[in-house]
Amino acid sequence: MKERVIQLLKNFGVQESALAEQNGHPLHFNRDLGFDSLDSVDLIMQLEQEFGIRIPDEDYPKLTTLQGVYEYLQNEQQVAEVV
């Protein structure tokens, strides 16, 4: 899963080395990677397509950091396994 997310971020021109440089804090898409609001929405749409899920608008704030994306996708995966 993490590799798929990293590949999506590379589509935005993010270097893998930038993903490793978190300096002890969660990597924030806007602050650390320079994403604007359109980039963020585009990323969410690509996540939906890549992982075959629907992300409701109210969940968007959970997806502002790389760690948040990982946790969200893991949670969605666990819910899908239960159903």
Side-chain angles (χ1 to χ4, degrees), residues 39-49 55 60 63:
D39 292 328
S40 297
V41 170
D42 190 16
L43 175 61
I44 289 170
M45 290 174 20
Q46 288 189 34
L47 288 167
E48 289 177 327
Q49 185 175 12
I55 301 173
Y60 285 13
L63 305 172

Side-chain angles (χ1 to χ4, degrees), residues 7 9 11 13 23 28-29 34 37 40 43 50 74 76 82:
Q7 187 57 49
L9 290 171
N11 294 340
N23 297 324
H28 193 276
F29 296 125
S37 58
S40 297
L43 175 61
E50 177 69 24
Q74 284 178 327
E76 287 297 307
V82 171

Side-chain angles (χ1 to χ4, degrees), residues 1 62-63 66-76:
M1 173 201 49
K62 298 175 184 177
L63 305 172
L66 185 58
Q67 186 62 37
V69 167
Y70 291 156
E71 290 172 2
Y72 187 85
L73 292 173
Q74 284 178 327
N75 186 38
E76 287 297 307

